[in-house]
């Protein structure tokens, strides 16, 4: 199924990197310009994908990309769910998104089902009709304070309120699903969840040393369990992103995937290895002998 998504992405002009293995937390990373997504296709979401979701979240936080679980079973059609902080969509809905079809941004959250709305459009439409906050609040059956929250992007609408907004102003007040809006949604949910990896829990002295140096330099850094590289790190305010891999003697595929993912994510790969093959030498790679 992941191969089908790879084809869809390439048709739309994305650069795609295949992870090369089902054991990793992502099947592919796709990028077009500044838009980057890491996708894992699963049959259904349960405790068996917990570690996958955790590593996807680490990749999203450190590399500033949109992590996404795409599932065949258990995902509500046309609605975005969240598992351990990771957005998830049904396979069919995600294919529609890649093809450019307009799908309303409906998502599950604590307390119910919500619709992501375009606050600036609501404000423009309200003022265009010379409606006050109070008048629109009465129309929607909510408070003036809630209307203000809608217009300033501080709150999304319930399904019922969203339906009233559409009847009042038209469908353009509803945000549509896209990789960009999914990425923004992920970031908004992660604000309180970002935690770097405690260096005291890392047994490998080399990786522990990298994590300690990155911490001193102010990077958000994570040790990964289910990726072809061992550390992902980023400093968002400066746009610095790193992938670090401690390479073995027969890890050519993992080295290549690490380098290719770094390239499409606009980051730099650090390979710690004794080898010096020219094939991997480029501006994205820093090779450090063990």
């Amino acid at each position: 199924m992941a191969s089908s998504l790879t084809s869809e992405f390439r048709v739309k002009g994305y650069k795609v990197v295949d992870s090369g293995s089902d054991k990793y937390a992502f099947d592919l990373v796709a990028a077009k310009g500044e838009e980057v997504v890491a996708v894992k296709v699963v049959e259904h979401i349960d405790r068996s994908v917990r570690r996958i979701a955790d590593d996807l979240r680490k990749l999203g936080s450190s590399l500033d990309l949109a992590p996404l679980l795409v599932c065949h079973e258990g995902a509500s059609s046309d609605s975005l769910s969240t598992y351990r902080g990771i957005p998830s969509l049904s396979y069919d809905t995600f294919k529609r998104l890649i093809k450019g079809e307009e799908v309303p941004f409906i998502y599950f959250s604590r307390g119910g089902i919500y619709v992501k709305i375009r606050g600036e459009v609501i404000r423009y439409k309200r003022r265009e009709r010379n409606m006050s906050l109070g008048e629109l609040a009465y129309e929607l059956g909510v408070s003036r304070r809630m209307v203000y929250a809608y217009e300033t992007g501080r709150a999304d609408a319930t399904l019922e309120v969203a339906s009233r907004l559409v009847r009042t102003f038209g469908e353009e007040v509803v945000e549509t699903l896209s990789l960009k809006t999914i990425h923004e949604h992920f970031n908004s949910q992660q604000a309180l969840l970002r935690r770097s990896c405690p260096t005291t829990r890392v047994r490998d002295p080399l990786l522990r040393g990298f994590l300690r140096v990155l911490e001193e330099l102010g990077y958000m850094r994570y040790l990964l369990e289910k990726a072809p590289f061992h550390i992902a790190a980023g400093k968002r305010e400066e746009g610095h992103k790193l992938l670090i891999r401690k390479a073995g003697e027969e890890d050519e595929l993992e080295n290549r995937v690490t380098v290719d993912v770094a390239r499409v994510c606009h980051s730099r790969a650090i390979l710690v290895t004794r080898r010096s093959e020219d094939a991997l030498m480029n501006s994205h790679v820093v090779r450090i002998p063990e």
Side-chain angles (χ1 to χ4, degrees):
M1 294 297 180
S3 60
S4 174
L5 294 180
T6 296
S7 300
E8 296 282 358
F9 271 119
R10 285 180 173 150
V11 167
K12 290 297 182 178
Y14 285 80
K15 296 179 181 178
V16 183
V17 178
D18 193 309
S19 71
S21 175
D22 292 337
K23 67 182 179 181
Y24 293 135
F26 62 91
D27 292 315
L28 62 90
V29 175
K32 183 164 66 173
E34 297 300 315
E35 195 174 79
V36 186
V37 60
V39 179
K40 181 65 178 181
V41 180
V42 296
E43 284 299 321
H44 49 80
I45 294 179
D46 56 23
R47 290 180 63 87
S48 66
V49 301
R50 179 172 180 169
R51 290 167 62 194
I52 288 172
D54 287 346
D55 267 15
L56 270 177
R57 181 169 57 82
K58 293 172 183 177
L59 287 174
S61 295
S62 57
L63 300 183
D64 194 20
L65 55 76
L68 188 65
L69 287 168
V70 176
C71 53
H72 295 284
E73 301 175 9
S76 177
S77 178
D78 292 347
S79 298
L80 187 81
S81 300
T82 303
Y83 177 71
R84 295 185 67 80
I86 300 300
S88 67
L89 283 173
S90 71
Y91 185 82
D92 290 339
T93 300
F94 188 56
K95 287 196 72 172
R96 290 175 59 198
L97 183 155
I98 298 173
K99 291 178 179 179
E101 296 183 27
E102 289 201 354
V103 181
F105 198 133
I106 303 172
Y107 67 95
F108 290 90
S109 186
R110 291 180 180 178
I113 303 174
Y114 294 87
V115 180
K116 192 164 288 293
I117 51 179
R118 294 168 172 158
E120 70 283 357
V121 176
I122 295 171
R123 175 178 288 176
Y124 175 81
K125 294 281 189 180
R126 175 178 64 79
R127 290 177 174 176
E128 186 179 49
R129 297 190 182 191
N130 293 318
M131 293 179 71
S132 67
L133 284 172
E135 288 171 331
L136 181 55
Y138 178 80
E139 190 82 18
L140 300 178
V142 299
S143 66
R144 293 174 72 257
R145 180 175 295 181
M146 184 57 72
V147 172
Y148 181 76
Y150 293 154
E151 292 188 348
T152 55
R154 297 178 183 176
D156 289 323
T158 62
L159 278 173
E160 183 179 2
V161 172
S163 296
R164 292 172 183 167
L165 279 167
V166 170
R167 286 199 301 269
T168 303
F169 296 133
E171 294 184 356
E172 58 265 42
V173 300
V174 175
E175 187 61 86
T176 56
L177 274 174
S178 67
L179 295 183
K180 179 182 178 182
T181 54
I182 290 173
H183 191 185
E184 291 171 348
H185 184 71
F186 167 74
N187 283 337
S188 70
Q189 302 297 308
Q190 293 301 301
L192 299 178
L193 295 177
R194 292 196 180 104
R195 299 288 187 275
S196 285
C197 174
T199 56
T200 54
R201 298 181 183 177
V202 181
R203 294 182 179 181
D204 188 291
L206 181 64
L207 297 179
R208 187 166 62 245
F210 270 112
L211 289 169
R212 186 175 296 115
V213 170
L214 290 169
E215 180 181 23
E216 292 172 355
L217 293 174
Y219 279 78
M220 181 70 66
R221 71 274 186 278
Y222 298 99
L223 189 70
L224 303 170
E225 296 182 45
K226 300 181 74 63
F229 33 86
H230 298 102
I231 295 173
K235 191 184 287 189
R236 288 196 173 201
E237 60 275 12
E238 298 179 16
H240 295 166
K241 294 174 282 187
L242 297 171
L243 297 179
I244 300 173
R245 171 170 177 75
K246 183 180 178 181
E249 290 298 323
E250 299 180 356
D251 296 341
E252 185 173 346
L253 175 60
E254 289 82 356
N255 291 347
R256 171 60 64 187
V257 173
T258 299
V259 172
D260 288 345
V261 170
R263 184 182 296 113
V264 300
C265 289
H266 314 291
S267 57
R268 188 175 293 274
I270 295 178
L271 301 179
V272 184
T273 176
R274 294 188 179 94
R275 303 173 66 186
S276 59
E277 60 272 29
D278 294 333
L280 287 175
M281 292 299 289
N282 58 55
S283 61
H284 292 269
V285 177
V286 176
R287 181 170 280 102
I288 301 177
E290 288 185 286

